Amino acid sequence: MSNDAHRHVTVLKQLKAQRKRGELGLRDYYQRLLRLLADVLSSLQNEDIGDDDVKRQVPLILVFLEEQIKKYAGRNH
């Protein structure tokens, strides 16, 4: 596991534990998850990934984006 991936896993575990212990409110948890997502995206953009892995990842990214954009649009009439 790369240093970045290890760091991302560690941050996610910490966030989940803090939320479970009641140390983070829902909105703060959401914001921190979004920051982690941005950090992960930055790492992924710099990754040297093979075509087979790209083919497997694209559908996951599309589903995530489509769902998030749809929900965002619905909240912001």
Side-chain angles (χ1 to χ4, degrees), residues 10-11 14-15 23 27 31 33-34 36 41 43-46 50 53 55-56 59 65-68 70-71 75-77:
T10 300
V11 169
Q14 289 172 343
L15 288 173
E23 297 170 3
R27 189 167 302 277
Q31 294 296 325
L33 288 173
L34 289 177
L36 176 57
L41 289 174
S43 295
L44 291 175
Q45 288 176 336
N46 297 321
D53 287 330
K55 287 178 187 175
R56 286 191 290 272
L65 285 171
E66 289 168 351
E67 187 66 20
Q68 292 304 309
K70 184 171 86 175
K71 287 181 178 180
R75 289 189 302 264
N76 295 297
H77 305 268

PDB file of all heavy atoms in Angstrom, residues 10-11 14-15 23 27 31 33-34 36 41 43-46 50 53 55-56 59 65-68 70-71 75-77:
ATOM      1  N   THR A  10      -6.056   5.594   7.153  1.00  0.00           N
ATOM      2  CA  THR A  10      -5.936   6.033   8.546  1.00  0.00           C
ATOM      3  C   THR A  10      -6.899   7.176   8.847  1.00  0.00           C
ATOM      4  O   THR A  10      -7.607   7.154   9.866  1.00  0.00           O
ATOM      5  CB  THR A  10      -4.487   6.466   8.851  1.00  0.00           C
ATOM      6  OG1 THR A  10      -3.615   5.349   8.629  1.00  0.00           O
ATOM      7  CG2 THR A  10      -4.341   6.955  10.279  1.00  0.00           C
ATOM      8  N   VAL A  11      -6.964   8.166   7.969  1.00  0.00           N
ATOM      9  CA  VAL A  11      -7.861   9.310   8.176  1.00  0.00           C
ATOM     10  C   VAL A  11      -9.311   8.836   8.186  1.00  0.00           C
ATOM     11  O   VAL A  11     -10.094   9.257   9.048  1.00  0.00           O
ATOM     12  CB  VAL A  11      -7.631  10.392   7.102  1.00  0.00           C
ATOM     13  CG1 VAL A  11      -8.727  11.453   7.147  1.00  0.00           C
ATOM     14  CG2 VAL A  11      -6.266  11.029   7.263  1.00  0.00           C
ATOM     15  N   GLN A  14     -10.118   7.130  11.423  1.00  0.00           N
ATOM     16  CA  GLN A  14     -10.212   8.115  12.499  1.00  0.00           C
ATOM     17  C   GLN A  14     -11.544   8.865  12.447  1.00  0.00           C
ATOM     18  O   GLN A  14     -12.187   9.066  13.480  1.00  0.00           O
ATOM     19  CB  GLN A  14      -9.047   9.106  12.414  1.00  0.00           C
ATOM     20  CG  GLN A  14      -7.721   8.521  12.789  1.00  0.00           C
ATOM     21  CD  GLN A  14      -6.557   9.467  12.499  1.00  0.00           C
ATOM     22  OE1 GLN A  14      -6.697  10.429  11.745  1.00  0.00           O
ATOM     23  NE2 GLN A  14      -5.409   9.183  13.084  1.00  0.00           N
ATOM     24  N   LEU A  15     -11.929   9.275  11.250  1.00  0.00           N
ATOM     25  CA  LEU A  15     -13.197   9.994  11.104  1.00  0.00           C
ATOM     26  C   LEU A  15     -14.376   9.130  11.535  1.00  0.00           C
ATOM     27  O   LEU A  15     -15.265   9.598  12.259  1.00  0.00           O
ATOM     28  CB  LEU A  15     -13.392  10.453   9.656  1.00  0.00           C
ATOM     29  CG  LEU A  15     -12.501  11.592   9.179  1.00  0.00           C
ATOM     30  CD1 LEU A  15     -12.687  11.821   7.684  1.00  0.00           C
ATOM     31  CD2 LEU A  15     -12.795  12.859   9.962  1.00  0.00           C
ATOM     32  N   GLU A  23     -17.951  12.513  18.659  1.00  0.00           N
ATOM     33  CA  GLU A  23     -17.054  13.662  18.673  1.00  0.00           C
ATOM     34  C   GLU A  23     -17.254  14.571  17.468  1.00  0.00           C
ATOM     35  O   GLU A  23     -16.787  15.718  17.479  1.00  0.00           O
ATOM     36  CB  GLU A  23     -15.595  13.192  18.725  1.00  0.00           C
ATOM     37  CG  GLU A  23     -15.263  12.432  19.994  1.00  0.00           C
ATOM     38  CD  GLU A  23     -13.903  11.770  19.946  1.00  0.00           C
ATOM     39  OE1 GLU A  23     -13.167  11.936  18.956  1.00  0.00           O
ATOM     40  OE2 GLU A  23     -13.572  11.051  20.908  1.00  0.00           O
ATOM     41  N   ARG A  27     -22.856  17.241  10.142  1.00  0.00           N
ATOM     42  CA  ARG A  27     -22.386  18.181   9.116  1.00  0.00           C
ATOM     43  C   ARG A  27     -20.857  18.255   9.078  1.00  0.00           C
ATOM     44  O   ARG A  27     -20.250  18.267   8.008  1.00  0.00           O
ATOM     45  CB  ARG A  27     -22.975  19.563   9.346  1.00  0.00           C
ATOM     46  CG  ARG A  27     -22.700  20.519   8.199  1.00  0.00           C
ATOM     47  CD  ARG A  27     -23.545  21.778   8.284  1.00  0.00           C
ATOM     48  NE  ARG A  27     -24.968  21.522   8.308  1.00  0.00           N
ATOM     49  CZ  ARG A  27     -25.721  21.309   7.221  1.00  0.00           C
ATOM     50  NH1 ARG A  27     -25.176  21.298   6.038  1.00  0.00           N
ATOM     51  NH2 ARG A  27     -27.012  21.112   7.331  1.00  0.00           N
ATOM     52  N   GLN A  31     -18.413  17.242   5.961  1.00  0.00           N
ATOM     53  CA  GLN A  31     -17.391  18.140   5.421  1.00  0.00           C
ATOM     54  C   GLN A  31     -16.009  17.494   5.426  1.00  0.00           C
ATOM     55  O   GLN A  31     -15.245  17.625   4.466  1.00  0.00           O
ATOM     56  CB  GLN A  31     -17.360  19.453   6.208  1.00  0.00           C
ATOM     57  CG  GLN A  31     -18.600  20.296   6.062  1.00  0.00           C
ATOM     58  CD  GLN A  31     -18.805  20.791   4.648  1.00  0.00           C
ATOM     59  OE1 GLN A  31     -17.859  21.085   3.938  1.00  0.00           O
ATOM     60  NE2 GLN A  31     -20.056  20.859   4.227  1.00  0.00           N
ATOM     61  N   LEU A  33     -15.384  14.270   5.370  1.00  0.00           N
ATOM     62  CA  LEU A  33     -15.386  13.211   4.359  1.00  0.00           C
ATOM     63  C   LEU A  33     -15.162  13.806   2.970  1.00  0.00           C
ATOM     64  O   LEU A  33     -14.431  13.225   2.155  1.00  0.00           O
ATOM     65  CB  LEU A  33     -16.698  12.418   4.398  1.00  0.00           C
ATOM     66  CG  LEU A  33     -16.891  11.488   5.586  1.00  0.00           C
ATOM     67  CD1 LEU A  33     -18.307  10.912   5.564  1.00  0.00           C
ATOM     68  CD2 LEU A  33     -15.854  10.373   5.599  1.00  0.00           C
ATOM     69  N   LEU A  34     -15.766  14.953   2.696  1.00  0.00           N
ATOM     70  CA  LEU A  34     -15.553  15.606   1.408  1.00  0.00           C
ATOM     71  C   LEU A  34     -14.096  16.035   1.241  1.00  0.00           C
ATOM     72  O   LEU A  34     -13.527  15.898   0.150  1.00  0.00           O
ATOM     73  CB  LEU A  34     -16.483  16.808   1.250  1.00  0.00           C
ATOM     74  CG  LEU A  34     -17.960  16.489   1.056  1.00  0.00           C
ATOM     75  CD1 LEU A  34     -18.774  17.785   0.995  1.00  0.00           C
ATOM     76  CD2 LEU A  34     -18.190  15.651  -0.188  1.00  0.00           C
ATOM     77  N   LEU A  36     -11.530  14.574   2.613  1.00  0.00           N
ATOM     78  CA  LEU A  36     -10.797  13.332   2.373  1.00  0.00           C
ATOM     79  C   LEU A  36     -10.986  12.887   0.929  1.00  0.00           C
ATOM     80  O   LEU A  36     -10.029  12.469   0.267  1.00  0.00           O
ATOM     81  CB  LEU A  36     -11.252  12.230   3.343  1.00  0.00           C
ATOM     82  CG  LEU A  36     -10.633  10.858   3.134  1.00  0.00           C
ATOM     83  CD1 LEU A  36      -9.098  10.903   3.206  1.00  0.00           C
ATOM     84  CD2 LEU A  36     -11.202   9.867   4.137  1.00  0.00           C
ATOM     85  N   LEU A  41      -8.876  12.060  -4.462  1.00  0.00           N
ATOM     86  CA  LEU A  41      -8.917  12.397  -5.888  1.00  0.00           C
ATOM     87  C   LEU A  41      -7.579  12.929  -6.365  1.00  0.00           C
ATOM     88  O   LEU A  41      -7.107  12.584  -7.449  1.00  0.00           O
ATOM     89  CB  LEU A  41     -10.022  13.407  -6.170  1.00  0.00           C
ATOM     90  CG  LEU A  41     -11.440  12.893  -6.068  1.00  0.00           C
ATOM     91  CD1 LEU A  41     -12.434  14.036  -6.221  1.00  0.00           C
ATOM     92  CD2 LEU A  41     -11.701  11.803  -7.078  1.00  0.00           C
ATOM     93  N   SER A  43      -4.658  12.236  -5.139  1.00  0.00           N
ATOM     94  CA  SER A  43      -3.739  11.096  -5.207  1.00  0.00           C
ATOM     95  C   SER A  43      -4.007  10.240  -6.440  1.00  0.00           C
ATOM     96  O   SER A  43      -3.078   9.802  -7.126  1.00  0.00           O
ATOM     97  CB  SER A  43      -3.861  10.220  -3.956  1.00  0.00           C
ATOM     98  OG  SER A  43      -3.453  10.922  -2.809  1.00  0.00           O
ATOM     99  N   LEU A  44      -5.290  10.003  -6.724  1.00  0.00           N
ATOM    100  CA  LEU A  44      -5.646   9.160  -7.867  1.00  0.00           C
ATOM    101  C   LEU A  44      -5.249   9.803  -9.190  1.00  0.00           C
ATOM    102  O   LEU A  44      -4.859   9.105 -10.133  1.00  0.00           O
ATOM    103  CB  LEU A  44      -7.146   8.864  -7.863  1.00  0.00           C
ATOM    104  CG  LEU A  44      -7.643   7.949  -6.751  1.00  0.00           C
ATOM    105  CD1 LEU A  44      -9.162   7.845  -6.801  1.00  0.00           C
ATOM    106  CD2 LEU A  44      -7.012   6.571  -6.847  1.00  0.00           C
ATOM    107  N   GLN A  45      -5.332  11.120  -9.281  1.00  0.00           N
ATOM    108  CA  GLN A  45      -4.961  11.805 -10.518  1.00  0.00           C
ATOM    109  C   GLN A  45      -3.481  11.649 -10.822  1.00  0.00           C
ATOM    110  O   GLN A  45      -3.083  11.680 -11.981  1.00  0.00           O
ATOM    111  CB  GLN A  45      -5.329  13.283 -10.448  1.00  0.00           C
ATOM    112  CG  GLN A  45      -6.811  13.520 -10.538  1.00  0.00           C
ATOM    113  CD  GLN A  45      -7.186  14.976 -10.363  1.00  0.00           C
ATOM    114  OE1 GLN A  45      -6.461  15.759  -9.758  1.00  0.00           O
ATOM    115  NE2 GLN A  45      -8.335  15.338 -10.898  1.00  0.00           N
ATOM    116  N   ASN A  46      -2.670  11.464  -9.801  1.00  0.00           N
ATOM    117  CA  ASN A  46      -1.233  11.324  -9.979  1.00  0.00           C
ATOM    118  C   ASN A  46      -0.792   9.867 -10.089  1.00  0.00           C
ATOM    119  O   ASN A  46       0.387   9.592 -10.266  1.00  0.00           O
ATOM    120  CB  ASN A  46      -0.493  11.990  -8.817  1.00  0.00           C
ATOM    121  CG  ASN A  46      -0.761  13.476  -8.773  1.00  0.00           C
ATOM    122  OD1 ASN A  46      -0.828  14.134  -9.803  1.00  0.00           O
ATOM    123  ND2 ASN A  46      -0.931  14.018  -7.586  1.00  0.00           N
ATOM    124  N   GLY A  50      -3.153   1.169 -14.826  1.00  0.00           N
ATOM    125  CA  GLY A  50      -3.258   0.432 -16.072  1.00  0.00           C
ATOM    126  C   GLY A  50      -4.639   0.516 -16.692  1.00  0.00           C
ATOM    127  O   GLY A  50      -5.625   0.837 -16.019  1.00  0.00           O
ATOM    128  N   ASP A  53      -7.447  -1.520 -15.005  1.00  0.00           N
ATOM    129  CA  ASP A  53      -7.957  -0.891 -13.781  1.00  0.00           C
ATOM    130  C   ASP A  53      -8.829   0.314 -14.106  1.00  0.00           C
ATOM    131  O   ASP A  53      -9.843   0.542 -13.453  1.00  0.00           O
ATOM    132  CB  ASP A  53      -6.802  -0.472 -12.863  1.00  0.00           C
ATOM    133  CG  ASP A  53      -6.144  -1.656 -12.179  1.00  0.00           C
ATOM    134  OD1 ASP A  53      -6.847  -2.655 -11.925  1.00  0.00           O
ATOM    135  OD2 ASP A  53      -4.936  -1.580 -11.905  1.00  0.00           O
ATOM    136  N   LYS A  55     -10.688   0.698 -16.744  1.00  0.00           N
ATOM    137  CA  LYS A  55     -11.974   0.165 -17.219  1.00  0.00           C
ATOM    138  C   LYS A  55     -12.875  -0.237 -16.059  1.00  0.00           C
ATOM    139  O   LYS A  55     -14.090  -0.078 -16.131  1.00  0.00           O
ATOM    140  CB  LYS A  55     -11.756  -1.035 -18.137  1.00  0.00           C
ATOM    141  CG  LYS A  55     -11.220  -0.674 -19.493  1.00  0.00           C
ATOM    142  CD  LYS A  55     -10.975  -1.921 -20.321  1.00  0.00           C
ATOM    143  CE  LYS A  55     -10.272  -1.566 -21.611  1.00  0.00           C
ATOM    144  NZ  LYS A  55      -9.911  -2.755 -22.392  1.00  0.00           N
ATOM    145  N   ARG A  56     -12.294  -0.754 -14.990  1.00  0.00           N
ATOM    146  CA  ARG A  56     -13.089  -1.164 -13.830  1.00  0.00           C
ATOM    147  C   ARG A  56     -13.511   0.041 -12.979  1.00  0.00           C
ATOM    148  O   ARG A  56     -14.549   0.005 -12.324  1.00  0.00           O
ATOM    149  CB  ARG A  56     -12.314  -2.160 -12.980  1.00  0.00           C
ATOM    150  CG  ARG A  56     -12.233  -3.549 -13.588  1.00  0.00           C
ATOM    151  CD  ARG A  56     -11.682  -4.562 -12.605  1.00  0.00           C
ATOM    152  NE  ARG A  56     -10.270  -4.377 -12.317  1.00  0.00           N
ATOM    153  CZ  ARG A  56      -9.271  -4.916 -13.018  1.00  0.00           C
ATOM    154  NH1 ARG A  56      -9.532  -5.666 -14.054  1.00  0.00           N
ATOM    155  NH2 ARG A  56      -8.020  -4.699 -12.679  1.00  0.00           N
ATOM    156  N   PRO A  59     -16.880   2.915 -14.381  1.00  0.00           N
ATOM    157  CA  PRO A  59     -18.296   2.764 -14.015  1.00  0.00           C
ATOM    158  C   PRO A  59     -18.594   3.195 -12.576  1.00  0.00           C
ATOM    159  O   PRO A  59     -19.636   3.805 -12.313  1.00  0.00           O
ATOM    160  CB  PRO A  59     -18.570   1.273 -14.206  1.00  0.00           C
ATOM    161  CG  PRO A  59     -17.538   0.816 -15.175  1.00  0.00           C
ATOM    162  CD  PRO A  59     -16.325   1.657 -14.896  1.00  0.00           C
ATOM    163  N   LEU A  65     -20.754  10.044  -9.523  1.00  0.00           N
ATOM    164  CA  LEU A  65     -20.982  11.392 -10.028  1.00  0.00           C
ATOM    165  C   LEU A  65     -22.434  11.633 -10.398  1.00  0.00           C
ATOM    166  O   LEU A  65     -23.006  12.674 -10.044  1.00  0.00           O
ATOM    167  CB  LEU A  65     -20.089  11.656 -11.241  1.00  0.00           C
ATOM    168  CG  LEU A  65     -18.621  11.905 -10.955  1.00  0.00           C
ATOM    169  CD1 LEU A  65     -17.835  11.941 -12.246  1.00  0.00           C
ATOM    170  CD2 LEU A  65     -18.442  13.186 -10.178  1.00  0.00           C
ATOM    171  N   GLU A  66     -23.018  10.710 -11.127  1.00  0.00           N
ATOM    172  CA  GLU A  66     -24.411  10.882 -11.544  1.00  0.00           C
ATOM    173  C   GLU A  66     -25.333  11.014 -10.341  1.00  0.00           C
ATOM    174  O   GLU A  66     -26.214  11.885 -10.313  1.00  0.00           O
ATOM    175  CB  GLU A  66     -24.839   9.718 -12.439  1.00  0.00           C
ATOM    176  CG  GLU A  66     -24.185   9.758 -13.806  1.00  0.00           C
ATOM    177  CD  GLU A  66     -24.362   8.483 -14.615  1.00  0.00           C
ATOM    178  OE1 GLU A  66     -24.854   7.467 -14.071  1.00  0.00           O
ATOM    179  OE2 GLU A  66     -24.007   8.509 -15.812  1.00  0.00           O
ATOM    180  N   GLU A  67     -25.133  10.171  -9.350  1.00  0.00           N
ATOM    181  CA  GLU A  67     -25.983  10.204  -8.157  1.00  0.00           C
ATOM    182  C   GLU A  67     -25.789  11.497  -7.371  1.00  0.00           C
ATOM    183  O   GLU A  67     -26.758  12.134  -6.941  1.00  0.00           O
ATOM    184  CB  GLU A  67     -25.689   8.989  -7.276  1.00  0.00           C
ATOM    185  CG  GLU A  67     -26.614   8.836  -6.114  1.00  0.00           C
ATOM    186  CD  GLU A  67     -28.050   8.525  -6.526  1.00  0.00           C
ATOM    187  OE1 GLU A  67     -28.285   8.057  -7.653  1.00  0.00           O
ATOM    188  OE2 GLU A  67     -28.945   8.772  -5.692  1.00  0.00           O
ATOM    189  N   GLN A  68     -24.542  11.911  -7.189  1.00  0.00           N
ATOM    190  CA  GLN A  68     -24.269  13.121  -6.416  1.00  0.00           C
ATOM    191  C   GLN A  68     -24.782  14.365  -7.133  1.00  0.00           C
ATOM    192  O   GLN A  68     -25.345  15.262  -6.506  1.00  0.00           O
ATOM    193  CB  GLN A  68     -22.773  13.247  -6.119  1.00  0.00           C
ATOM    194  CG  GLN A  68     -22.257  12.193  -5.158  1.00  0.00           C
ATOM    195  CD  GLN A  68     -23.028  12.193  -3.846  1.00  0.00           C
ATOM    196  OE1 GLN A  68     -23.195  13.223  -3.204  1.00  0.00           O
ATOM    197  NE2 GLN A  68     -23.508  11.032  -3.447  1.00  0.00           N
ATOM    198  N   LYS A  70     -27.244  14.512  -9.322  1.00  0.00           N
ATOM    199  CA  LYS A  70     -28.700  14.471  -9.275  1.00  0.00           C
ATOM    200  C   LYS A  70     -29.222  14.952  -7.913  1.00  0.00           C
ATOM    201  O   LYS A  70     -30.134  15.774  -7.835  1.00  0.00           O
ATOM    202  CB  LYS A  70     -29.191  13.051  -9.567  1.00  0.00           C
ATOM    203  CG  LYS A  70     -30.700  12.916  -9.628  1.00  0.00           C
ATOM    204  CD  LYS A  70     -31.114  11.550 -10.128  1.00  0.00           C
ATOM    205  CE  LYS A  70     -31.178  10.582  -8.972  1.00  0.00           C
ATOM    206  NZ  LYS A  70     -31.687   9.253  -9.364  1.00  0.00           N
ATOM    207  N   LYS A  71     -28.626  14.463  -6.855  1.00  0.00           N
ATOM    208  CA  LYS A  71     -29.060  14.870  -5.513  1.00  0.00           C
ATOM    209  C   LYS A  71     -28.767  16.344  -5.261  1.00  0.00           C
ATOM    210  O   LYS A  71     -29.565  17.051  -4.657  1.00  0.00           O
ATOM    211  CB  LYS A  71     -28.405  13.995  -4.457  1.00  0.00           C
ATOM    212  CG  LYS A  71     -28.981  12.606  -4.433  1.00  0.00           C
ATOM    213  CD  LYS A  71     -28.336  11.759  -3.364  1.00  0.00           C
ATOM    214  CE  LYS A  71     -28.977  10.375  -3.350  1.00  0.00           C
ATOM    215  NZ  LYS A  71     -28.399   9.513  -2.332  1.00  0.00           N
ATOM    216  N   ARG A  75     -31.496  19.435  -4.450  1.00  0.00           N
ATOM    217  CA  ARG A  75     -31.468  20.262  -3.248  1.00  0.00           C
ATOM    218  C   ARG A  75     -31.395  21.738  -3.587  1.00  0.00           C
ATOM    219  O   ARG A  75     -31.744  22.595  -2.775  1.00  0.00           O
ATOM    220  CB  ARG A  75     -30.251  19.906  -2.384  1.00  0.00           C
ATOM    221  CG  ARG A  75     -30.363  18.566  -1.726  1.00  0.00           C
ATOM    222  CD  ARG A  75     -29.249  18.355  -0.719  1.00  0.00           C
ATOM    223  NE  ARG A  75     -27.905  18.457  -1.265  1.00  0.00           N
ATOM    224  CZ  ARG A  75     -27.158  17.429  -1.659  1.00  0.00           C
ATOM    225  NH1 ARG A  75     -27.624  16.197  -1.606  1.00  0.00           N
ATOM    226  NH2 ARG A  75     -25.936  17.610  -2.127  1.00  0.00           N
ATOM    227  N   ASN A  76     -30.917  22.062  -4.769  1.00  0.00           N
ATOM    228  CA  ASN A  76     -30.698  23.464  -5.173  1.00  0.00           C
ATOM    229  C   ASN A  76     -31.596  23.810  -6.359  1.00  0.00           C
ATOM    230  O   ASN A  76     -31.126  24.095  -7.439  1.00  0.00           O
ATOM    231  CB  ASN A  76     -29.232  23.684  -5.539  1.00  0.00           C
ATOM    232  CG  ASN A  76     -28.333  23.506  -4.346  1.00  0.00           C
ATOM    233  OD1 ASN A  76     -28.435  24.254  -3.402  1.00  0.00           O
ATOM    234  ND2 ASN A  76     -27.481  22.505  -4.385  1.00  0.00           N
ATOM    235  N   HIS A  77     -32.862  23.816  -6.145  1.00  0.00           N
ATOM    236  CA  HIS A  77     -33.851  24.054  -7.206  1.00  0.00           C
ATOM    237  C   HIS A  77     -33.484  25.256  -7.989  1.00  0.00           C
ATOM    238  O   HIS A  77     -33.726  26.286  -8.029  1.00  0.00           O
ATOM    239  CB  HIS A  77     -35.264  24.170  -6.612  1.00  0.00           C
ATOM    240  CG  HIS A  77     -35.602  22.971  -5.792  1.00  0.00           C
ATOM    241  ND1 HIS A  77     -36.242  21.861  -6.317  1.00  0.00           N
ATOM    242  CD2 HIS A  77     -35.346  22.660  -4.506  1.00  0.00           C
ATOM    243  CE1 HIS A  77     -36.394  20.958  -5.385  1.00  0.00           C
ATOM    244  NE2 HIS A  77     -35.869  21.430  -4.261  1.00  0.00           N
TER     245      HIS A  77
END
